[in-house]
Amino acid sequence: MSAAPHDLTAAGAHGPADPRRPGRLPAALLIGTFVVIALAAALSFVGLPYVVLLPGPATNILGTEGGSPILTVKGAPTYPTAGNLDYTTVLVEGGPGRRNITVFDLARAGLRGSEEVVPVEQVYPPDASQKEVQQEGAAEMAASQTVATATALRALGTDVDPVVAIASVPDGSPSAGVIEPGDVLVSVDGDPASDPDAVRASVRRHEPGDTIAVVVKRDAAQRTLEVTTGAASDGSTMIGVTLRVDYDLPVEVTVNTGSVGGPSAGLMFSLAIYDTLTPGELTGGKKIAGTGEMTDSGAVGPIGGIRQKLVGARDAGATVFLAPATNCPEVLGHVPDGLQVVRVATFDEGLAAVEKVAKGETSSLPACT
């Protein structure tokens, strides 16, 4: 007589369970797992009001791009250069017209010391479109090159007088169709357009909706225009233009920066232009990087993303980094190995630092403390 078969699929029935087969997960654990997966999937599509700053590439202004020089100067004698004067950049994830930043991006940035999370309004104006951001960045880049040229020429003893020009006129602004990019402001409401602050003051003493006279120089001719003022997002009166400091320059300088925008390369532009206009090799063949907005007074202004720019400079092979003195608190504790950070507050200090680096005299250079 044959024996009856035994059920070996459940322990405790007729013997132990088959150790090669997994046991059943508790229902609560299965439900919890599905909830976590669903929540993770949902969070991957939820946009957060932040942007992530990452190290961007560093570009040698004295070098070439696609076989053409990045820096060209016409209208004055130029001289061969060597070494590197790198301007540094920051990559920005998120913002107008770009993909949303999610909780996973924040978690990744938290694990990488070279990345930084900041509120989106610290980088982009409220309600700005991608087109407006690009236009503003391009205008700031153009203005930084102009100020850099004036700075270098003044260091060489050339007198250069500033003027206030129109960098851009956004679509739909009160000045659209009246004022044009490139117009040089002569006066606003009867007041000389001596600097951007003076222009803003002349406009803001009016109420939105008032009509004011704006005198501009366009195509070598002077014109008087009438502009109806509008209200800015903060309630102040505006005419809806972006201003830049311009100059009547004796030379034509072009710096091919591609799609890079913003004003923060001004210091390095001015040093590279000075190097190109003077005999000898300013850098002594050394690799020097830096950042800083150049102002009309010759001061080096603060910039954003200094930590990311330090990493980008180091990755590009720079050994010395020129940093605005006002950014020094952000530099401390974030200097990559192998990179010496030099504190500079003016163009003259930046020039003196490069000359010392060229001679190998780096021990006495001022550091961020």
Side-chain angles (χ1 to χ4, degrees), residues 237-266:
T237 305
M238 57 86 171
I239 58 174
V241 297
T242 302
L243 303 176
R244 73 169 188 259
V245 176
D246 211 338
Y247 306 86
D248 185 11
L249 298 171
V251 299
E252 180 183 345
V253 173
T254 303
V255 186
N256 179 17
T257 58
S259 61
V260 178
S264 64

Side-chain angles (χ1 to χ4, degrees), residues 243-293:
L243 303 176
R244 73 169 188 259
V245 176
D246 211 338
Y247 306 86
D248 185 11
L249 298 171
V251 299
E252 180 183 345
V253 173
T254 303
V255 186
N256 179 17
T257 58
S259 61
V260 178
S264 64
L267 171 62
M268 303 310 292
F269 288 159
S270 60
L271 291 168
I273 295 166
Y274 180 92
D275 189 11
T276 302
L277 291 172
T278 53
E281 298 171 352
L282 181 62
T283 68
K286 303 295 195 303
K287 291 188 175 183
I288 303 169
T291 189
E293 181 176 0

Side-chain angles (χ1 to χ4, degrees), residues 95-193:
R98 301 178 181 178
R99 73 173 183 84
N100 290 329
I101 293 301
T102 69
V103 67
F104 296 107
D105 295 309
L106 303 188
R108 182 205 67 202
L111 296 174
R112 298 177 181 175
S114 62
E115 298 183 15
E116 187 176 1
V117 177
V118 299
V120 67
E121 63 268 17
Q122 288 188 16
V123 179
Y124 299 110
D127 303 320
S129 67
Q130 184 180 26
K131 181 180 179 181
E132 289 171 339
V133 168
Q134 291 172 340
Q135 288 176 336
E136 182 176 0
E140 290 175 336
M141 174 59 78
S144 73
Q145 295 178 19
T146 303
V147 176
T149 303
T151 301
L153 291 173
R154 286 169 174 166
L156 292 169
T158 303
D159 291 332
V160 180
D161 294 324
V163 296
V164 179
I166 303 300
S168 64
V169 183
D171 295 339
S173 85
S175 295
V178 181
I179 297 177
E180 297 181 1
D183 284 349
V184 174
L185 293 179
V186 178
S187 66
V188 176
D189 197 37
D191 298 329

Side-chain angles (χ1 to χ4, degrees), residues 9-339:
T9 60
H14 300 286
D18 187 341
R20 296 168 299 177
R21 302 181 63 184
R24 294 179 179 175
L25 291 174
L29 181 57
L30 283 172
I31 294 173
T33 300
F34 287 132
V35 169
V36 170
I37 293 173
L39 180 60
L43 288 175
S44 66
F45 293 100
V46 175
L48 301 175
Y50 298 96
V51 295
V52 180
L53 309 182
L54 303 90
T59 301
N60 180 20
I61 309 167
L62 304 177
T64 60
E65 180 68 34
S68 299
I70 291 176
L71 170 65
T72 58
V73 180
K74 297 179 181 179
T78 59
Y79 302 88
T81 60
N84 281 54
L85 287 172
D86 291 353
Y87 72 89
T88 48
T89 61
V90 176
L91 299 178
V92 182
E93 289 186 345
R98 301 178 181 178
R99 73 173 183 84
N100 290 329
I101 293 301
T102 69
V103 67
F104 296 107
D105 295 309
L106 303 188
R108 182 205 67 202
L111 296 174
R112 298 177 181 175
S114 62
E115 298 183 15
E116 187 176 1
V117 177
V118 299
V120 67
E121 63 268 17
Q122 288 188 16
V123 179
Y124 299 110
D127 303 320
S129 67
Q130 184 180 26
K131 181 180 179 181
E132 289 171 339
V133 168
Q134 291 172 340
Q135 288 176 336
E136 182 176 0
E140 290 175 336
M141 174 59 78
S144 73
Q145 295 178 19
T146 303
V147 176
T149 303
T151 301
L153 291 173
R154 286 169 174 166
L156 292 169
T158 303
D159 291 332
V160 180
D161 294 324
V163 296
V164 179
I166 303 300
S168 64
V169 183
D171 295 339
S173 85
S175 295
V178 181
I179 297 177
E180 297 181 1
D183 284 349
V184 174
L185 293 179
V186 178
S187 66
V188 176
D189 197 37
D191 298 329
S194 54
D195 59 58
D197 288 339
V199 172
R200 295 185 188 100
S202 298
V203 172
R204 288 175 180 173
R205 69 172 175 237
H206 287 270
E207 296 294 328
D210 289 350
T211 299
I212 61 175
V214 178
V215 180
V216 305
K217 186 177 181 181
R218 182 188 303 168
D219 299 328
Q222 192 163 292
R223 308 182 183 203
T224 299
L225 311 173
E226 288 191 349
V227 178
T228 301
T229 61
S233 58
D234 61 359
S236 62
T237 305
M238 57 86 171
I239 58 174
V241 297
T242 302
L243 303 176
R244 73 169 188 259
V245 176
D246 211 338
Y247 306 86
D248 185 11
L249 298 171
V251 299
E252 180 183 345
V253 173
T254 303
V255 186
N256 179 17
T257 58
S259 61
V260 178
S264 64
L267 171 62
M268 303 310 292
F269 288 159
S270 60
L271 291 168
I273 295 166
Y274 180 92
D275 189 11
T276 302
L277 291 172
T278 53
E281 298 171 352
L282 181 62
T283 68
K286 303 295 195 303
K287 291 188 175 183
I288 303 169
T291 189
E293 181 176 0
M294 205 70 245
T295 67
D296 179 62
S297 67
V300 178
I303 52 81
I306 187 74
R307 288 167 49 187
Q308 289 70 43
K309 291 181 177 181
L310 292 172
V311 174
R314 188 274 315 274
D315 291 348
T319 57
V320 175
F321 189 97
L322 307 182
T326 43
N327 281 117
C328 275
E330 302 168 74
V331 169
L332 297 176
H334 298 285
V335 179
D337 292 340
L339 190 67

